[in-house]
Amino acid sequence: MGIKTDKTSKAKEDETLLISRILGGQTTLFRQLVDRYAGQVLRMVARLIPSPEEAEEVTQDVLLEAFQSLARFDARQASFHTWLMSIAYHTALKHYRQHHRSLQLMEVEQQRLDAFPDDETDALLDDTDRVELVERAIETLKPDDQMLLNLYYFDNCRMREIACITEHEESYLHSRLQWIRKRLAITIKALERDGK
């Protein structure tokens, strides 16, 4: 356990030193950060923006914003990775809202969500025979909710990190994830009822 912590601490120190050198005028060193994180940024962006060309363009915008804002990075607040993913999250959502307004949202009444049983939610979402329906249900979520699901379930981010990325309180994110899970379950049932 101590070895991993030492390696993590050393990597963070190396990254902090690299950022200091970039801010000190050695701007070509930013390429090292790009090489380290561009793939992760692209994966996050591409989950919301499926067009490869658009996702690549937005990724470039994220990296440019990170470079231009590097002086505002504070290692005491978050890791560079988390800070960069926050820029990616907000840039991707902004781009999506500006260019993809055709999202078909299925409205679900709050009373129906509150009354939907947790065990039925778990059964519907954990059923491997419903994977395609789950994917279709996810597509009906608002972009913010899709990104939250991706961060928590697919990227395995800790709630504290997601809170930094999204700029929401952890308690809000916990309740939002529960709401999203129930909404997905209700949507899956509706898709099944309507004949898929």
Side-chain angles (χ1 to χ4, degrees), residues 34-50:
V34 169
D35 291 343
R36 192 175 299 169
Y37 294 112
Q40 293 174 47
V41 171
L42 180 60
R43 277 190 299 279
M44 174 184 263
V45 168
R47 287 194 180 119
L48 192 60
I49 302 168

Side-chain angles (χ1 to χ4, degrees), residues 150-163:
N150 282 316
L151 288 167
Y152 188 75
Y153 289 106
F154 300 111
D155 294 343
N156 297 315
C157 291
R158 290 188 210 112
M159 198 57 75
R160 184 176 58 208
E161 184 178 10
I162 297 171

Side-chain angles (χ1 to χ4, degrees), residues 22 30 40 43 83-84 102 108 122 130 134 139 152-153 163 186:
I22 294 166
F30 189 74
Q40 293 174 47
R43 277 190 299 279
W83 180 78
L84 182 60
S102 63
V108 178
D122 294 340
R130 290 186 169 99
V134 171
E139 291 173 6
Y152 188 75
Y153 289 106
I186 290 169

Side-chain angles (χ1 to χ4, degrees), residues 74-97:
D74 184 352
R76 295 168 299 186
Q77 298 293 319
S79 69
F80 180 78
H81 173 266
T82 300
W83 180 78
L84 182 60
M85 290 301 117
S86 180
I87 294 172
Y89 171 86
H90 292 287
T91 304
L93 284 175
K94 180 179 176 184
H95 179 87
Y96 186 90
R97 289 179 182 132

Side-chain angles (χ1 to χ4, degrees), residues 54-179:
E54 269 187 272
E56 186 65 42
E57 181 183 318
V58 172
T59 297
Q60 292 303 317
D61 291 345
V62 169
L63 296 171
L64 179 61
E65 172 69 23
F67 179 73
Q68 293 172 338
S69 305
L70 195 57
R72 292 196 312 257
F73 168 66
D74 184 352
R76 295 168 299 186
Q77 298 293 319
S79 69
F80 180 78
H81 173 266
T82 300
W83 180 78
L84 182 60
M85 290 301 117
S86 180
I87 294 172
Y89 171 86
H90 292 287
T91 304
L93 284 175
K94 180 179 176 184
H95 179 87
Y96 186 90
R97 289 179 182 132
Q98 290 174 344
H99 298 93
H100 301 274
R101 298 190 184 275
S102 63
L103 183 65
Q104 296 292 322
L105 297 176
M106 183 184 127
E107 295 299 322
V108 178
E109 294 176 15
Q110 187 62 44
Q111 285 180 318
R112 189 168 175 210
L113 285 166
D114 292 341
F116 203 82
D118 290 335
D119 57 340
E120 189 172 353
T121 298
D122 294 340
L124 284 166
L125 295 179
D126 294 340
D127 185 351
T128 56
D129 293 333
R130 290 186 169 99
V131 171
E132 184 181 326
L133 288 174
V134 171
E135 290 171 356
R136 287 179 57 202
I138 289 172
E139 291 173 6
T140 70
L141 294 172
K142 290 193 275 184
D144 314 55
D145 292 337
Q146 289 181 35
M147 294 290 273
L148 178 55
L149 276 179
N150 282 316
L151 288 167
Y152 188 75
Y153 289 106
F154 300 111
D155 294 343
N156 297 315
C157 291
R158 290 188 210 112
M159 198 57 75
R160 184 176 58 208
E161 184 178 10
I162 297 171
C164 287
I165 291 170
T166 63
E167 299 175 0
H168 288 298
E169 296 291 327
E170 287 184 50
S171 58
Y172 167 81
L173 294 171
H174 279 292
S175 63
R176 190 69 188 173
L177 278 169
Q178 289 177 320
W179 182 91

Side-chain angles (χ1 to χ4, degrees), residues 18 21-22 27-37:
L18 179 63
R21 290 175 63 196
I22 294 166
T27 57
T28 57
L29 293 176
F30 189 74
R31 184 78 203 156
Q32 290 180 32
L33 293 174
V34 169
D35 291 343
R36 192 175 299 169
Y37 294 112

